[in-house]
């Protein structure tokens, strides 16, 4: 007896896999097909990671984008173009980037993101040709930076010697 199970096996994990069958009536009757090479599927999502939180407003941060197939495998053959956006309207973000074969589905952007607005922010990458392929790093805490300058104001001029005057320091 021979029976073909059309569409009966779906392998989802990249790497060398095997399929084993065992007769339920006779557990000693078993067979396997081994060394089945499984490659990744097409791009289904992007993972944006690497921005250390909290981050100081105005400080450059590195970010990495990893492309995944529908089963969580790295989509090593991805050659699409991604575009960055952020919840921070003042953010400085990397330019659009087209993945190349050497990226193998993962590309770092060293110092590529600068968030400037204090609070919780997010950075999103989206495939330019397929907006369903997207991903974000969210809940990035952006904190105030150290003072860069001081402004003294409020003292009237002229002022009389020995008379106290209010002063404002910003």
């Amino acid at each position: 007896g021979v029976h073909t199970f059309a569409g009966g096996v779906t392998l989802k994990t990249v790497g060398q896999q095997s399929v084993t069958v065992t007769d339920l009536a006779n557990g000693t009757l078993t067979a396997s097909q081994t060394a089945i090479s499984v490659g990744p599927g097409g791009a289904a999502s992007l993972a944006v990671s690497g921005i250390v939180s909290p981050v100081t407003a105005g400080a450059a941060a590195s970010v990495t984008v990893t492309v995944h197939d529908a089963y969580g495998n790295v989509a090593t053959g991805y050659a699409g173009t991604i575009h960055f956006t952020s919840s921070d309207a003042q953010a400085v973000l990397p330019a659009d980037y087209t993945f190349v074969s050497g990226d193998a589905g993962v590309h770092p952007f060293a110092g590529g993101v600068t968030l400037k607005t204090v609070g919780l922010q997010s950075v999103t990458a989206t495939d330019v040709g397929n907006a369903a392929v997207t991903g974000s790093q969210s809940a990035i805490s952006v904190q105030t930076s150290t003072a860069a300058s001081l402004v003294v104001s409020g003292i009237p001029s002229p002022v009389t010697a020995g008379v106290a005057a209010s002063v404002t320091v910003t």
Side-chain angles (χ1 to χ4, degrees):
V2 173
H3 181 80
T4 300
F5 296 88
V9 174
T10 303
L11 301 174
K12 298 179 180 179
T13 305
V14 170
Q16 296 291 313
Q17 306 300 331
S18 63
V19 175
T20 301
V21 295
T22 303
D23 185 314
L24 293 177
N26 178 0
T28 62
L29 186 58
T30 186
S32 295
Q33 180 178 344
T34 61
I36 303 166
S37 181
V38 179
S45 65
L46 302 175
V48 178
S49 62
I51 301 173
V52 177
S53 181
V55 63
T56 301
S62 295
V63 65
T64 298
V65 176
T66 304
V67 186
H68 292 280
D69 69 10
Y71 306 105
N73 301 300
V74 176
T76 56
Y78 178 73
T81 300
I82 60 169
H83 175 76
F84 286 92
T85 57
S86 176
S87 60
D88 182 349
Q90 298 184 76
V92 176
L93 302 167
D96 289 1
Y97 178 77
T98 302
F99 277 70
V100 296
S101 61
D103 290 325
V106 179
H107 188 79
F109 297 85
V113 172
T114 303
L115 299 172
K116 297 182 178 183
T117 305
V118 172
L120 293 178
Q121 304 296 344
S122 63
V123 173
T124 301
T126 304
D127 182 293
V128 171
N130 181 358
V133 178
T134 188
S136 297
Q137 182 176 346
S138 57
I140 304 164
S141 177
V142 180
Q143 298 181 343
T144 57
S145 61
T146 56
S149 63
L150 296 173
V151 176
V152 178
S153 61
I155 302 173
S157 179
V159 65
T160 303
V163 175
S166 295
V167 64
T168 301
V169 178
T170 305

